[in-house]
Amino acid sequence: MSKTHVCPCTQGCPLQYVVEAIGGKWKMSILCSLSSDGATRYNELKRKLGDISNTMLAKSLKELENDGLVKRSEYMEVPIRVEYEITDKVQSLIPILSELALWGANNLVG
């Protein structure tokens, strides 16, 4: 039997889905921050990220939530408290991202 080479980046490619889900200017920073700090309130996350606008943070969090990568918890207090945290999906992705960071440091950085 001969093996047929199939490009991993064709339509419906899981790798392409991952790159789209965590790609962009802010999503990786959001995931890294939530991964290291645990559940975080919106304003605290915005402060840690620095230059991100409210619009971009809200949009990125919504997309990450829709992809099942971030969990939003709302607590009925006065005032209402909202916290964001990574899901188990991202927790299982952290070792892979750490390896990618190591690869980048060894191969792409200065």
Side-chain angles (χ1 to χ4, degrees), residues 6-96:
V6 178
C7 177
C9 294
T10 58
Q11 186 177 13
C13 173
L15 183 58
Q16 188 66 34
Y17 167 76
V18 171
V19 170
E20 289 174 9
I22 65 173
K25 183 174 180 180
W26 295 105
K27 288 182 181 179
M28 189 65 65
S29 296
I30 292 168
L31 294 175
C32 286
S33 179
L34 294 177
S35 172
S36 63
D37 298 335
T40 306
R41 295 177 80 164
Y42 181 92
N43 285 331
E44 184 180 350
L45 184 58
K46 185 173 184 328
R47 240 185 334 273
K48 288 178 183 176
L49 296 174
D51 292 336
I52 191 169
S53 68
N54 279 321
T55 302
M56 184 53 69
L57 179 56
K59 178 180 183 279
S60 297
L61 285 168
K62 188 59 144 172
E63 289 173 1
L64 289 165
E65 185 181 4
N66 288 340
D67 287 331
L69 303 177
V70 167
K71 177 184 171 194
R72 180 182 187 273
S73 299
E74 192 172 296
Y75 301 92
M76 293 305 179
E77 301 171 350
V78 178
I80 292 176
R81 177 171 51 110
V82 176
E83 293 181 340
Y84 296 89
E85 61 187 315
I86 60 171
T87 63
D88 290 341
K89 282 183 184 181
V90 175
Q91 194 63 46
S92 67
L93 183 61
I94 296 301
I96 298 165

